Amino acid sequence: VLWRRHTKTFRVVSNVFIAGGAILSSTTGLSRIGIAGGLYLGLFLGVILIFIGFLISIEVFEQFRVPFTNVVLRARQQGERAP
C-alpha cells in the first residue's frame, strides 16, 4: 500500500520505529506471567524508540541535529516540502 501511494520514506521509517518501540514496551505483559528480567530495560528502550520515531516524523524541522550538540545529521533542501 505504501509503495502504491508513493509515501515518503521518513514516514515509513518513523512508523517502524514507533511500532518497534510499542512492541518492545510490551514487556510489562511478560512480568505478569513471571518473566520480570529486563522489564525496566525493555520499557526504557521502547520509549526511546517511540521518541526517535516521533522525531523522524516531524516535518517542521529545517535541520535534523543530534540533541545538545552542533552536529547536523541532515538539512532540508530548498525545494523539499512536507506533503
Side-chain angles (χ1 to χ4, degrees), residues 11 13 19 26-27 34 37 39 56 58 61-62 75 79 81:
R11 288 182 185 229
V13 172
S26 67
T27 56
L39 170 69
I56 291 172
I58 294 178
F61 289 129
E62 291 295 322
R81 283 191 314 138

Side-chain angles (χ1 to χ4, degrees), residues 13-72:
V13 172
S14 68
N15 284 329
V16 168
F17 272 102
I18 292 171
I23 291 170
L24 194 57
S25 293
S26 67
T27 56
T28 57
L30 293 176
S31 68
R32 291 181 184 204
I33 59 173
I35 305 171
L39 170 69
Y40 296 111
L41 179 63
L43 286 173
F44 177 71
L45 293 177
V47 168
I48 294 295
L49 285 177
I50 291 171
F51 184 64
I52 289 171
F54 168 73
L55 288 179
I56 291 172
S57 70
I58 294 178
E59 301 170 355
V60 296
F61 289 129
E62 291 295 322
Q63 294 179 343
F64 297 99
R65 297 177 179 243
V66 176
F68 308 111
T69 66
N70 289 327
V71 178
V72 176

